[in-house]
Amino acid sequence: MQVFLLRRSLGFLATLFAVSVIVFLVMNVLPGDPAVTILGIDSTEDARAALRAELGLDRPLWQRYGAWVWDAVRGDFGTSYFFRVPVSELIAERLPLTLPLAAFGMLATVTLGVTLGIIAAAQHGRPGDWAIMLLSQLGIAIPAFWLSILLVLLFAVKLRWLPPGGFPGWDDPVLALRSLILPTAALALVQSAVLARVTRSSALEVMRLDFVRTARATGLAPRRILGRHILPNALVPIVTIVGMQVAGVVTGTIVIENVFYLPGLGRLVFQSIANRDLFTVQALVVLFAAIVVTANFLVDIAYVLIDPRLKGRLA
Amino acid sequence: MIRRAPVNLWIGGALVAMMTAIALLSLVWTPYDHTLLDIPAKFAAPSAEHWLGTDQLGRDVVSLLMAASVNSLTVAFVAVGLGGAIGTLLGLAASAWGGWVEAIVMRLVDLGFAFPALLFAIMLAAAFGPSLSNAILAIAFINIPVFARVARGAANQIWTRDFVLAGQAAGMGRAALTRDHILPNIAAPIIVQATIEFAVAILAEAALSYLGLGAQPPMPSWGRMLSEAQTLMYLAPELAIYPGLCIILAVLGFGLLGDGLRDVTDPRLARTRA
Amino acid sequence: MIRASGITVRFGSHAALRDVSLQLDPGQRLGIVGESGSGKSMLGLTLMGMLPSSAKLDGQLHVDGQDMSTAADRQWRSLRARRVAMVFQEPASALNPLRRVGDTVMEPLRLHLRLDRKAAQQRMLELLDETGIQEPALKARQYPHELSGGQRQRVLIALALACDPALLIADEPTTALDAHVGLRITELLVRLARDRGMALVFISHDLAAVARTVDDVAVMYGGEVVERGPVAEVLRAPQHPYTQGLLAARPPLDAGQLRRRLPVVPGNVPAMADLPLGCRFAGRCHVELPRCAATRPSETSLSPGRSAACHHLPDPSI
């Protein structure tokens, strides 16, 4: 077990390292001169030289990488060239929006996906199953941003129940939550479609196993068999998908924030691209990638905690 | 056992055929020139002249949608082709040589999954400015690990077959064996995966173009049409409907076709569904 | 306690059980013998009310005087575990892999008998002890994959006994186990049935295991009971050609090499669709008469509690 954890942790750190190298190379080396990227091709050589000196771009590549990683580990992501404030401040400012949005999105995705999947499995071959499968097929094909637009058209433009976009801040929690309803729904409806399918097939697989028959022979009610015996076993493979869906939800927030004009990290990325704020984008991309990698790492660990058989094998 | 062609194969195939036909048709004919501006006729309601009306610049919506379908399919084709080719080669190499080659390829594959297409497109856009070719590169990139994994898994099974062992015994090299025996035999799963990834690519292109990281004006694109329509939601909500429907039909078509092909070519999966 | 007569189970047009009658009294131990596909497991599921939903049940089935032949699952549920319980063949997969075995055994105690946590735990440990599990407190905390096959089967028996059933059905409980472990399990079943005055239906294709476990035996072929009687008599003087074949094909009754080999009767059990109209054994039988393929032999009583269904029965006086 300890060996397993140690190996996974080392692999996790290696992946994080590789991610940082890739991001650094793509953003600093491939384009040639970051000073030109930031200032534009019509900038003067003097201005570029001044910027290089200011940002330390005149140092050798490995030194720049080393400094960047060393600073990032200590929570310093450099200074935004456009906003002239530390990037970490920009992130801290917007995290209170993006984090709850991602968390709500994930929560709603798992709740909706697993519930629908289990219902479909319990209804296997009957109309309920068909309806859920049809909906999920549709959900997989719907672009999240288009679903967002439809939701806005219906609930904001037509019915005027909810705000079409924007975020009033957490001063008034009710208003804040109201403005997160549609974005959360857009995230979850699309993501839960995949989860519902996986849950269904996983549950159907488990239903065929012998211990379900044992549970029936013990006189347990179908509801209890479903909840206490089938569901926990079906969840084992679902956990992997949930890990992957963290990636979907995280990048989903980037898209959704732009659809709903929510001033979060995703919005910041796009502002920074428009502002040619290269190093802010770099910091954010690494941050997003790190979240995805971390989620998958945690899922690997969770797997072992859920399934005692794995724990035994790794001991 | 009689195997019926599954329903999803038929529906998917029909949708894909329709999409492809429309895209090809639009190369030689569209009701109107989709770049033709007719400001006085803007926001026209659907009519005999303009089946789905006109947009904010008086362009014919049907013509725009048709022209955009070419863009969608081309992007998907190039991106999946590029990423699929590289990924398949990597997977074949990993399977053929094993050892450290395999170790490196699989590490790269794991790494690839850390970057969703959107993140990659964002990096490229920040470094080079947003463009359709960057979007294609980003979509191609995320396809590499997918195909590497599928190709390696499928190839590993073929390597244990008798005819491959016979070839090995006859002194054929690993590269030659891969070319002559492995590749033809993993074509089915690769094609199935490509069809499914086609759907993913269309969805990704639409999202990237919607966000301004893909097709740039004046190039027609479903995603870009949606981002324009969103700003006009109070004026002409229906403009936000049609491009979305096109995306759904295309994605659904390729997705169903891919599922159907898999059901037909992989009896192991077909049985578990029965 | 259990009165079944004329039980027929159909899947579409095929009968998996045909006209099976059965009577079980408290404390009686009955063996059901036959090759795989003979319908013996289906009979077990019928007595549990656990037939697949695609199956159609005809005939009379009374449990404790209650007519269960048309009972809904809800009604059966109140009988399962409390009146009739069942142990299945594959102990490796018959336990929920994510639960500690103690928790699995406690579930019916808490739900059906409404014991509180402490009492249920106490009772669970007693049950594990009763079924011969060493160090029950330790084993109760383990997961199924940490136990041996024999231990798992004992846990399953403990689970089945949790609510003091009047009848325990054991479907091939020794098949997946090593011979000597299987021997211990049959000994356990006999002891439990005796101590508790519990009826036992022991389903097996292993004649040796049946011989040492039960008092009476019913031999099944093609979904029908072809012969029945006290186990010693049936084994000593089998009347039905099929039983004779089974016995001839039996591996030597040497305790040292009591292997679980399938008895071999020439030919194969016909697929349900291909069953002959008359005697189901027609075609494989070594004493076949012309009428065998055409008309079905009915069960003929040979002596009290002893009967066979064959057109070619020797003089009943022996």
Side-chain angles (χ1 to χ4, degrees):
Chain A
M1 187 68 186
Q2 275 85 356
V3 178
F4 166 81
L5 281 180
L6 193 68
R7 278 183 57 177
R8 280 298 150 95
S9 305
L10 285 178
F12 167 62
L13 290 177
T15 312
L16 276 186
F17 169 72
V19 163
S20 70
V21 171
I22 289 178
V23 174
F24 184 79
L25 288 179
V26 170
M27 313 257 322
N28 286 271
V29 182
L30 286 187
D33 187 348
V36 178
T37 312
I38 294 170
L39 294 173
I41 38 169
D42 44 2
S43 54
T44 63
E45 185 48 45
D46 285 352
R48 292 177 197 170
L51 184 68
R52 280 187 211 116
E54 184 195 335
L55 299 179
L57 298 177
D58 42 6
R59 288 178 294 169
L61 209 53
W62 65 269
Q63 272 187 19
R64 275 161 57 197
Y65 172 77
W68 174 59
V69 169
W70 181 235
D71 288 345
V73 168
R74 293 177 304 164
D76 176 5
F77 294 101
T79 304
S80 161
Y81 181 74
F82 182 84
F83 290 106
R84 298 281 165 182
V85 292
V87 175
S88 51
E89 254 175 51
L90 288 176
I91 293 176
E93 227 167 71
R94 287 150 196 262
L95 221 46
L97 172 57
T98 303
L99 217 56
L101 177 59
F104 292 155
M106 210 56 224
L107 205 68
T109 299
V110 173
T111 314
L112 197 65
V114 172
T115 310
L116 287 181
I118 288 289
I119 293 177
Q123 296 263 314
H124 183 46
R126 279 176 289 180
D129 185 20
W130 281 99
I132 290 172
M133 283 300 96
L134 205 68
L135 274 179
S136 73
Q137 185 81 54
L138 213 61
I140 290 171
I142 288 187
F145 63 91
W146 186 57
L147 183 65
S148 310
I149 295 175
L150 293 186
L151 289 174
V152 169
L153 270 176
L154 181 61
F155 292 103
V157 176
K158 259 219 142 47
L159 298 172
R160 296 181 186 276
W161 288 353
L162 293 163
F167 185 69
W170 285 105
D171 297 335
D172 184 344
V174 177
L175 273 184
L177 286 175
R178 268 171 60 91
S179 64
L180 287 183
I181 292 177
L182 287 183
T184 304
L187 266 177
L189 286 175
V190 171
Q191 293 288 328
S192 61
V194 181
L195 193 58
R197 300 198 140 232
V198 177
T199 305
R200 172 181 176 269
S201 58
S202 174
L204 286 178
E205 202 99 325
V206 172
M207 280 177 186
R208 280 196 278 267
L209 299 180
D210 284 349
F211 66 81
V212 176
R213 191 176 53 179
T214 306
R216 280 193 72 201
T218 313
L220 304 185
R223 188 177 293 262
R224 187 173 175 94
I225 297 176
L226 195 63
R228 296 298 186 85
H229 292 269
I230 295 173
L231 185 59
N233 279 280
L235 276 178
V236 176
I238 293 173
V239 167
T240 316
I241 306 296
V242 169
M244 289 197 224
Q245 285 197 308
V246 172
V249 167
V250 164
T251 55
T253 58
I254 302 180
V255 178
I256 295 294
E257 282 179 9
N258 281 283
V259 183
F260 288 97
Y261 307 105
L262 300 173
L265 292 178
R267 199 92 183 105
L268 180 62
V269 174
F270 278 84
Q271 288 168 345
S272 302
I273 292 174
N275 298 334
R276 301 191 189 181
D277 202 343
L278 194 63
F279 298 112
T280 305
V281 178
Q282 180 174 317
L284 290 171
V285 168
V286 166
L287 184 67
F288 281 123
I291 293 173
V292 172
V293 174
T294 308
N296 282 313
F297 170 65
L298 292 179
V299 160
D300 268 355
I301 307 267
Y303 230 134
V304 182
L305 295 181
I306 294 176
D307 194 336
R309 284 165 296 186
L310 284 177
K311 214 183 292 176
R313 215 168 296 156
L314 296 165
Chain B
M1 189 180 86
I2 305 159
R3 202 181 294 145
R4 263 181 327 131
V7 183
N8 45 11
L9 186 70
W10 287 112
I11 300 178
L15 282 173
V16 167
M18 189 183 79
M19 281 289 159
T20 316
I22 289 175
L24 289 175
L25 176 67
S26 77
L27 292 177
V28 292
W29 178 83
T30 49
Y32 292 83
D33 180 352
H34 69 84
T35 57
L36 189 75
L37 306 188
D38 185 4
I39 309 284
K42 69 179 178 181
F43 296 129
S47 64
E49 291 97 76
H50 298 285
W51 296 334
L52 295 177
T54 60
D55 73 353
Q56 72 279 12
L57 298 174
R59 291 173 296 188
D60 179 52
V61 171
V62 172
S63 306
L64 276 169
L65 291 174
M66 286 178 70
S69 69
V70 180
N71 172 59
S72 253
L73 294 185
T74 314
V75 169
F77 189 79
V78 176
V80 174
L82 193 64
I86 299 174
T88 305
L89 282 179
L90 284 176
L92 284 173
S95 176
W97 279 279
W100 61 268
V101 178
E102 186 167 29
I104 289 180
V105 168
M106 292 332 282
R107 277 264 72 129
L108 284 177
V109 165
D110 284 346
L111 196 56
F113 283 116
F115 289 101
L118 181 58
L119 278 192
F120 218 78
I122 285 171
M123 274 200 286
L124 293 178
F128 302 96
S131 71
L132 188 60
S133 48
N134 283 342
I136 294 178
L137 273 182
I139 301 171
F141 179 82
I142 56 152
N143 272 293
I144 295 176
V146 175
F147 280 89
R149 213 170 247 195
V150 171
R152 173 175 163 270
N156 277 348
Q157 289 180 359
I158 310 292
W159 274 103
T160 59
R161 296 267 189 86
D162 286 344
F163 60 86
V164 178
L165 299 178
Q168 243 169 339
M172 273 178 89
R174 287 173 179 278
L177 275 169
T178 298
R179 185 193 60 225
D180 292 347
H181 292 307
I182 310 294
L183 189 54
N185 278 295
I186 65 166
I190 296 291
I191 290 171
V192 167
Q193 195 62 43
T195 315
I196 293 170
E197 293 305 321
F198 231 86
V200 178
I202 290 174
L203 209 49
E205 187 275 334
L208 292 176
S209 292
Y210 168 81
L211 291 168
L213 300 180
Q216 302 298 311
M219 187 181 274
S221 153
W222 293 331
R224 232 174 42 71
M225 288 172 77
L226 278 174
S227 75
E228 285 170 14
Q230 195 189 354
T231 61
L232 307 163
M233 222 154 22
Y234 289 88
L235 279 171
E238 67 282 357
L239 286 181
I241 306 288
Y242 311 127
L245 286 180
C246 290
I247 297 170
I248 288 201
L249 287 181
V251 173
L252 212 54
F254 281 102
L256 289 175
L257 182 63
D259 283 351
L261 285 175
R262 183 173 47 198
D263 290 351
V264 173
T265 57
D266 193 340
R268 190 171 48 89
L269 280 170
R271 220 183 308 135
T272 58
R273 284 172 162 248
Chain C
M1 184 177 72
I2 287 201
R3 302 274 178 279
S5 64
I7 295 288
T8 300
V9 172
R10 286 196 186 83
F11 291 89
S13 57
H14 310 308
L17 287 179
R18 195 160 72 167
D19 198 15
V20 173
S21 297
L22 197 72
Q23 183 168 333
L24 263 171
D25 297 312
Q28 190 187 350
R29 283 170 303 170
L30 172 71
I32 312 273
V33 181
E35 294 163 283
S36 45
S38 60
K40 55 192 196 303
S41 293
M42 201 58 73
L43 183 58
L45 290 176
T46 306
L47 298 181
M48 288 295 287
M50 279 172 56
L51 288 171
S53 52
S54 53
K56 195 179 164 304
L57 173 73
D58 286 311
Q60 297 263 307
L61 176 57
H62 289 268
V63 179
D64 294 335
Q66 213 178 334
D67 182 11
M68 295 303 285
S69 48
T70 55
D73 192 62
R74 171 177 294 274
Q75 208 176 335
W76 271 110
R77 243 162 36 222
S78 60
L79 290 184
R80 287 181 204 141
R82 276 162 280 204
R83 298 300 296 162
V84 284
M86 190 158 176
V87 176
F88 298 96
Q89 178 171 353
E90 242 0 287
S93 51
L95 285 164
N96 186 338
L98 302 187
R99 295 187 129 195
R100 298 173 197 277
V101 296
D103 292 338
T104 300
V105 177
M106 276 167 67
E107 196 171 19
L109 296 171
R110 306 259 295 149
L111 281 178
H112 299 327
L113 304 185
R114 307 245 164 243
L115 297 184
D116 64 38
R117 187 153 190 89
K118 228 177 146 175
Q121 188 146 15
Q122 183 61 38
R123 184 79 193 104
M124 176 267 290
L125 291 175
E126 285 166 19
L127 283 163
L128 292 185
D129 186 54
E130 189 185 353
T131 49
I133 287 176
Q134 311 284 317
E135 300 176 275
L138 173 74
K139 292 294 189 303
R141 281 198 300 275
Q142 293 191 321
Y143 290 95
H145 72 272
E146 296 172 296
L147 303 181
S148 70
Q151 286 170 335
R152 275 178 234 158
Q153 195 61 285
R154 285 171 195 273
V155 170
L156 282 161
I157 294 170
L159 172 67
L161 295 180
C163 301
D164 260 322
L167 165 65
L168 176 65
I169 303 166
D171 185 2
E172 303 264 13
T174 59
T175 309
L177 303 173
D178 282 341
H180 66 279
V181 181
L183 199 63
R184 296 283 98 78
I185 294 291
T186 50
E187 284 169 6
L188 172 67
L189 289 173
V190 173
R191 177 166 64 75
L192 290 170
R194 274 204 193 116
D195 293 355
R196 292 166 162 256
M198 174 181 74
L200 176 71
V201 168
F202 185 80
I203 301 174
S204 180
H205 61 254
D206 182 351
L207 284 169
V210 171
R212 64 179 183 250
T213 310
V214 300
D215 314 310
D216 298 293
V217 67
V219 181
M220 289 194 69
Y221 182 83
E224 294 175 353
V225 173
V226 292
E227 180 164 5
R228 70 175 97 212
V231 69
E233 278 182 48
V234 171
L235 292 188
R236 184 174 51 76
Q239 298 299 304
H240 194 282
Y242 175 67
T243 318
Q244 291 162 1
L246 265 187
L247 278 168
R250 189 180 53 160
L253 242 178
D254 178 331
Q257 47 159 281
L258 253 174
R259 293 308 308 149
R260 308 171 274 118
R261 207 175 304 138
L262 271 163
V264 185
V265 174
N268 293 308
V269 176
M272 272 195 270
D274 307 329
L275 285 172
L277 267 176
C279 174
R280 297 204 156 187
F281 195 49
R284 279 175 82 189
C285 187
H286 66 281
V287 289
E288 198 172 331
L289 302 169
R291 62 189 153 131
C292 288
T295 52
R296 202 157 77 86
S298 54
E299 245 180 295
T300 314
S301 179
L302 303 166
S303 59
R306 181 106 167 81
S307 68
C310 180
H311 290 307
H312 195 270
L313 286 179
D315 196 333
S317 56
I318 45 167

